[in-house]
Amino acid sequence: MGKAHWFKAHWFKCRLVMASVSTGLASGLIFAMPAWAAPDEETNVQNLPPVEVTAPPPSTARRTASSRPVAHIGAPSSASPRTRLYVYPTAPGTGRGLDVDRVPSAINAVDASQIKRTGSMNITDALRDNIAGVNVSEVTGNPFQPDVEFRGFVASPVTGTPQGLAVYQNGVRINEAFSDAVNWDLIPTAAIRSVTLVTNNPAFGLNALGGAINLQMKDGFTYQGAELDFMGGSFGRIQGSAQWGKTVDKNFGVYAALEGLHDGGFRNFSQSDVRRFYGDVGYKAGDSEFHANMGVAKNDFGASATVPAELLDKYWGATYTTPQTTSNRVGYLNLTGKVDATPTWTLEGTAHVRRYEQKLVDGNPTDAQECTDPGLAGLLCFGDGATPANGTNGLPLANPFASGTILGEIDRSLIRSTTFGVSGQATNTDQLFGHDNRFVMGATYDASVTRYNATAEIGTIGENYVVSGSGLFLGPTGVPDTVAGPVSLRTVNQYNGLYAMDTFNITDAFAVTGGGRFNVARITLEDQLGADLNGDHTFTRFNPVIGGTYKITPELTAYAGYSEANRVPTPLELGCSDPARPCLIAAFLVSDPPLKQVVSKTVEAGLRGSRELNIGTLGWKLGGFRATNYDDIVAIPVPGRTGFGYFSNVGRTRRQGLEAEINIKSPTVQFQASYAFVDARFLDALSIGSNSPFADGDGNIQVSPGNQLPAIPRHRVKVGVDYAVTDVWKVGGNALFVSSQYLVGDESNQYAKLPSYTVFNLHTSYQVTKNIQLYGKIDNIFDKRYATYGQFFDREAVPNFTNGGAEFTDPRSLSPARPRAFYAGMRVTF
């Protein structure tokens, strides 16, 4: 019987269907929802969607290679007997993964229903609410451009942030070429089928130091029907999405999703506009499947920086030195193909092209001031007042401003990247020595060309902290060492990878996994204004992995594994790594010595299990990890020069901790509680620049072995519950506790921590008719005022206009979280 007919026959009640699948956490629980519900895909207690396999003929008397199950994702294409397995990705490809029982690492997954439950167009909100170790901080002050931190490693949209997580969409790495940044706003949230956060696995290539976030998208085979979703609420929020999927003649699948949002923001100048489209056309024929998917996005944001704490004390919506605007544009096309060449060999490949553009406009304090040297009267100078600031013509800039005018700077940058890549993967499931075995090998090639340009315009800062341009642009300044100047840079990234992994079942209960990946990265920098930035850097590394799983009982599995991963310096980092010649990070670059690649060595182990209870399926997991980075790269500010800094290898750092989670799934109630402990520390002594009040006379602080890394809270507690009061009315809520953390710039751990916070949220939905649902939510119901991120800033750069123009006394600059917000919406399904 087809799914649609089943729904029509049973829409008036919910059913529990047990799939006879031996997974480490359970025989998977499937929720058959009423016909009026949105057509979300069924998932098990681990939030993993099923893979259907063709069962061997009943007459098969013994296992042979030719009778092994053949995997199909989504709806079946024939009437052959099927069963369902729950698998986990172990490589970037889009094909079938590894049975969860055999995965020697933690299982972290989020399904489409959990994404929808957040009522958010940010996939990061679903990651924060549903994965124990994830912490989200709004470093930019904008909710659509957050930092996602997991186990002390970060995936951030902020250019210049050292990135420690790889992000994949349908098997394609989407860390941007110039800085490895991750622009979460460009990901079409409505079109996401599932998200997994894969750890302890080098097959995902560069940047997977802490893991890889793997996004699998919907298509016409996995999503059928249509949905319109509209929501509005506080701060002028208006958002809507539409998605539609259909299977045609069982061989063709079509899917499309469109999203749009406007948010006025709670801070001055903090409006956000998001526009995204995603589409997929697929074809199935027997055991072969091919897809072409594409996406475009055009997003604009304001208020992209922290705010001095003293300004927030006066007004929670304050901003500092605006304008602060970000414009992101992207277009991409991906082609994927998968063929079951034999009953035991599966071949798949991808080809993709991506065009990305980012424009930044950022008002800042400036080092350009009226000259104090009598011989330079009437000119603008830098720093010591005796180094003339040059214009674009190379001549000293005359000072057109009245004496005492507070000067600022509008920094503009443009990144334009084009990326092309291909990959191939082969999977074999032949038995080896009479035992089940799964072998995967693959190769990837990605090439990116980026053009980067930056300029700086001198302006004046008003009492509202708005920087007004004057038409005076800085040219190359400083001989022989460049102090500032425009940048025009062309970079070429070429990333090659070869990987292989094998999982061998020694017994039905014990499986071992081994393999590795060899990475080759070549990064070329071509200065378009001279030769200072020219460089050619090549990095190579083989990263091994070994691990095992043991099914202690049918309901309990133990796992352990060891792996290595590497991150190569980005073109931005390579162009700004000399402490004697700091750069305006993400703007002015200068020639610099090369950096070493970062190598991370990780071990993790744990237990996971499940049990059937009267109230539903209970799932739980407990695990520990330790990751040591060698030659870690951090961004180091230069005291007294706002925005200037450089990147440096700082030796070893270590991140270790525990993660525990328990959840219950049933038709009536869904409950989840988790705790994560992350201990992140420096292992080597170093001296770095800081705006800390504890800095020495040279503006440096001394970091000792054992000092904690800043911006990484040690404790995270999450609790969430959803309850079906009736067949048509559901209520739910969640709570989040994040412990205190050191400010960025306080690597020596001398200043008071950024305080901890606890936030409570509520949501509800009511099914008005079979096809119409009303819903609402309240975020931060107790209107808690807290900050998710903090750093030190130069207190002398600009006066505190809210205090009569006196100097700032509080050295902290913070990212304020949203106050209480109310939202309501409607979903219509077809």
Side-chain angles (χ1 to χ4, degrees), residues 110 305 325 461 468 475 532 570:
V110 178
T325 62
I461 299 180
S468 301
D532 286 349
T570 65

Side-chain angles (χ1 to χ4, degrees), residues 98-273:
L98 180 65
D99 292 355
V100 290
D101 282 346
R102 313 302 184 194
V103 177
S105 63
I107 302 293
N108 299 291
V110 178
D111 64 26
S113 66
Q114 291 174 308
I115 297 171
K116 180 183 293 184
R117 196 177 304 138
T118 66
S120 171
M121 289 177 59
N122 296 339
I123 183 56
T124 57
D125 289 346
L127 296 175
R128 176 200 62 204
D129 292 348
N130 296 285
I131 296 181
V134 168
N135 178 53
V136 171
S137 57
E138 296 178 4
V139 174
T140 67
N142 189 292
F144 301 96
Q145 295 185 296
D147 277 16
V148 172
E149 178 257 310
F150 175 71
R151 296 184 175 180
F153 296 92
V154 176
S156 170
V158 179
T159 301
T161 300
Q163 310 283 339
L165 297 172
V167 181
Y168 284 80
Q169 180 178 320
N170 270 1
V172 176
R173 183 174 177 268
I174 59 173
N175 295 72
E176 305 297 350
F178 186 64
S179 64
D180 283 335
V182 179
N183 289 291
W184 301 102
D185 63 283
L186 300 179
I187 298 173
T189 302
I192 296 174
R193 181 191 182 206
S194 68
V195 186
T196 49
L197 207 169
V198 183
T199 64
N200 211 34
N201 189 334
F204 284 85
L206 298 175
N207 287 95
L209 305 181
I213 298 174
N214 190 45
L215 305 162
Q216 292 298 319
M217 312 304 287
K218 298 173 183 175
D219 58 48
F221 300 117
T222 61
Y223 183 98
Q224 288 90 40
E227 178 184 273
L228 300 176
D229 191 334
F230 302 97
M231 190 185 82
S234 298
F235 313 115
R237 169 75 64 87
I238 301 174
Q239 70 180 51
S241 66
Q243 58 179 323
W244 172 78
K246 184 177 179 62
T247 300
V248 182
D249 297 330
K250 296 185 179 180
N251 296 112
F252 292 92
V254 182
Y255 175 82
L258 182 67
E259 297 174 299
L261 174 145
H262 173 78
D263 189 297
F266 74 95
R267 298 172 60 189
N268 297 334
F269 316 112
S270 63
Q271 70 285 346
S272 301
D273 291 285

Side-chain angles (χ1 to χ4, degrees), residues 278-293:
Y278 178 84
D280 181 279
V281 177
Y283 174 75
K284 278 186 178 182
D287 296 326
S288 301
E289 186 171 346
F290 303 90
H291 288 269
N293 55 73

Side-chain angles (χ1 to χ4, degrees), residues 215-398:
L215 305 162
Q216 292 298 319
M217 312 304 287
K218 298 173 183 175
D219 58 48
F221 300 117
T222 61
Y223 183 98
Q224 288 90 40
E227 178 184 273
L228 300 176
D229 191 334
F230 302 97
M231 190 185 82
S234 298
F235 313 115
R237 169 75 64 87
I238 301 174
Q239 70 180 51
S241 66
Q243 58 179 323
W244 172 78
K246 184 177 179 62
T247 300
V248 182
D249 297 330
K250 296 185 179 180
N251 296 112
F252 292 92
V254 182
Y255 175 82
L258 182 67
E259 297 174 299
L261 174 145
H262 173 78
D263 189 297
F266 74 95
R267 298 172 60 189
N268 297 334
F269 316 112
S270 63
Q271 70 285 346
S272 301
D273 291 285
V274 175
R275 295 152 292 234
R276 300 188 292 231
F277 172 80
Y278 178 84
D280 181 279
V281 177
Y283 174 75
K284 278 186 178 182
D287 296 326
S288 301
E289 186 171 346
F290 303 90
H291 288 269
N293 55 73
M294 60 85 66
V296 293
K298 181 182 179 182
N299 304 334
D300 299 287
F301 307 105
S304 57
T306 59
V307 185
E310 288 178 69
L311 297 185
L312 292 177
D313 289 341
K314 300 284 187 179
Y315 174 48
W316 195 246
T319 52
Y320 182 63
T321 59
T322 58
Q324 301 164 1
T325 62
T326 302
S327 298
N328 288 335
R329 308 288 186 264
V330 75
Y332 53 87
L333 173 66
N334 304 328
L335 304 177
T336 66
K338 181 177 74 71
V339 177
D340 290 331
T342 72
T344 59
W345 275 102
T346 299
L347 307 178
E348 58 183 291
T350 68
H352 66 273
V353 62
R354 176 183 176 94
R355 173 68 174 180
Y356 165 70
E357 181 179 292
Q358 181 181 72
K359 295 180 180 179
L360 297 178
V361 179
D362 188 11
N364 287 303
T366 182
D367 272 354
Q369 304 292 337
E370 56 184 320
C371 296
T372 57
D373 188 328
L376 300 174
L379 300 179
L380 291 175
C381 283
F382 266 107
D384 56 6
T387 302
N390 294 336
T392 53
N393 58 3
L395 300 176
L397 282 173

